Every structure is written in structure tokens, then in C-alpha cells.
Amino acid sequence: MNTYMIVGLACVALMSTLAMAEGPTTKPASVLDFTVKDIDGKPVELSKYKGKVLLIVNTASKCGFTKQYEGLEKLNQKYAEQGLAVLGFPCNDFMGQEPGTEADIKTFCSSKYNVKFDMFSKVVVKGDNKTPLYDFLISDKTNPQFGGKITWNFNKFLIGRDGKIVGRFGSKDTPEGEAVTKAIEAELAKK
């Protein structure tokens, strides 16, 4: 082997290593393509929810809608065995209504509302520094039917078993309300 071949092979190996370090270059096609941090700061690949119906909610502990934690937990208890997973994403983007740390949020949710559904680390849902998952959820390009900015805490996205967005509900749509429960039941009925 001559020097040029050795240098060439070394360059190819280096480029492959750099490409792997940067991660995949494909854009996410569904919610299941994202990795987020749970409330304890551990990475969670949302692909673990493949085959489940998801209700993704941006939450806050000091909001007029905070009592919706109770309804979200009722949904979790009622429909979990049928394949529903409620995912709570604390957010401090609206009037500082989620000022606490992840530990504070976890304690509040479990002690005040007995939350058992999966909770995640704080996210940013508006502005230039949006969390990638929420950028995907609200983008008119990736979500033309249900895109648009998050209006307040407790906006809800309904995700089908394939990771595609199939519905969206505002803060005033209560978790146990007819619109939300009918949409969840319709998705759960699809196998």
C-alpha cells in the first residue's frame, strides 16, 4: 500500500466517524423520531411508545388550567390498558407559570394530583429556542392540519399509533371533555 492509499483510507475513516457523531441527517417524520429527557433528566426515545396513542400536553403548576392534571391522570388510568400514554411536558413560557425545578414539578404533580403518567423535563414551546419536538408539533410544514403556535399551557396534541399527529385541542378543552375523549377513543379503536 502506498502513502496516498493510506492517507485516503484514513480520510474516509475520519469522515465516517464525523458523520456518525453528527447523527442522522434525515428530518423527523413522526413524533416517534424524537429523543427527549424525562423529569429526572434521563434520555427517552419516543419510539418506545410505538403502537400507543399519545396525548402530549404542555403543562404548568401555577396556571388557571393546572387542575387539568387531575383529568389527565383520569384519562391515563381509564385508557392506559387500551394503549393510551399521556406525556406531560412542563413549560414556563406563559407568564412564568412553571418556575420550579424538575424536582419541584415532580413533587408537586405526585403530591397534589397523584400523577402517574410520564412527565418530562421542561420544554420551550415558543420563540426561536423551541424544543425540537414542539417545533415539529407546531410547524405548518410538518403538521399542516394541526400546526400553529401554542396558545397557552395545557394545549394537547393527539398522536396516532404510528406517531402521526391526528388531533389538537386547546387549553379550554378539558381532558375528560367529550371532544378529547371521543377523539382518544376513536384512535384507540384503530388497531
Side-chain angles (χ1 to χ4, degrees):
M1 228 189 258
N2 66 33
T3 305
Y4 293 110
M5 288 179 71
I6 293 171
V7 170
L9 288 173
C11 286
V12 168
L14 178 61
M15 289 169 47
S16 295
T17 302
L18 289 173
M20 288 190 315
E22 291 176 3
T25 56
T26 58
K27 292 186 178 186
S30 84
V31 167
L32 302 176
D33 294 333
F34 288 89
T35 299
V36 295
K37 289 185 179 177
D38 69 13
I39 197 80
D40 296 314
K42 296 176 186 157
V44 175
E45 293 181 9
L46 294 184
S47 60
K48 84 176 210 167
Y49 296 103
K50 185 176 183 182
K52 292 191 175 283
V53 173
L54 307 178
L55 188 65
I56 295 177
V57 186
N58 64 302
T59 63
S61 301
K62 297 183 183 298
C63 174
F65 297 107
T66 299
K67 62 184 176 185
Q68 286 191 21
Y69 271 124
E70 187 177 329
L72 292 168
E73 182 54 36
K74 285 180 182 176
L75 286 179
N76 179 56
Q77 290 176 18
K78 183 175 182 178
Y79 295 111
E81 287 187 21
Q82 296 174 49
L84 177 69
V86 176
L87 310 182
F89 288 87
C91 168
N92 196 40
D93 289 352
F94 302 98
M95 294 182 65
Q97 294 181 344
E98 189 56 274
T101 65
E102 275 78 1
D104 295 335
I105 296 164
K106 184 177 179 179
T107 299
F108 172 82
C109 289
S110 62
S111 66
K112 178 98 172 146
Y113 292 101
N114 198 28
V115 166
K116 302 263 192 287
F117 59 84
D118 293 343
M119 291 291 295
F120 295 85
S121 291
K122 277 187 182 180
V123 294
V124 176
V125 301
K126 65 180 192 172
D128 293 337
N129 295 321
K130 281 186 292 300
T131 303
L133 172 62
Y134 269 85
D135 192 41
F136 179 85
L137 289 170
I138 68 172
S139 170
D140 290 329
K141 291 179 183 173
T142 55
N143 184 9
Q145 189 174 1
F146 302 108
K149 67 182 182 175
I150 301 293
T151 56
W152 203 256
N153 301 310
F154 291 90
N155 275 210
K156 302 155 197 74
F157 289 89
L158 184 61
I159 312 299
R161 294 181 190 272
D162 60 357
K164 304 289 186 195
I165 304 159
V166 296
R168 182 173 179 177
F169 305 93
S171 304
K172 292 182 181 179
D173 294 308
T174 61
E176 63 273 34
E178 186 177 349
V180 176
T181 56
K182 279 191 173 191
I184 288 170
E185 288 171 355
E187 281 306 305
L188 289 171
K190 298 176 185 176
K191 297 291 177 181

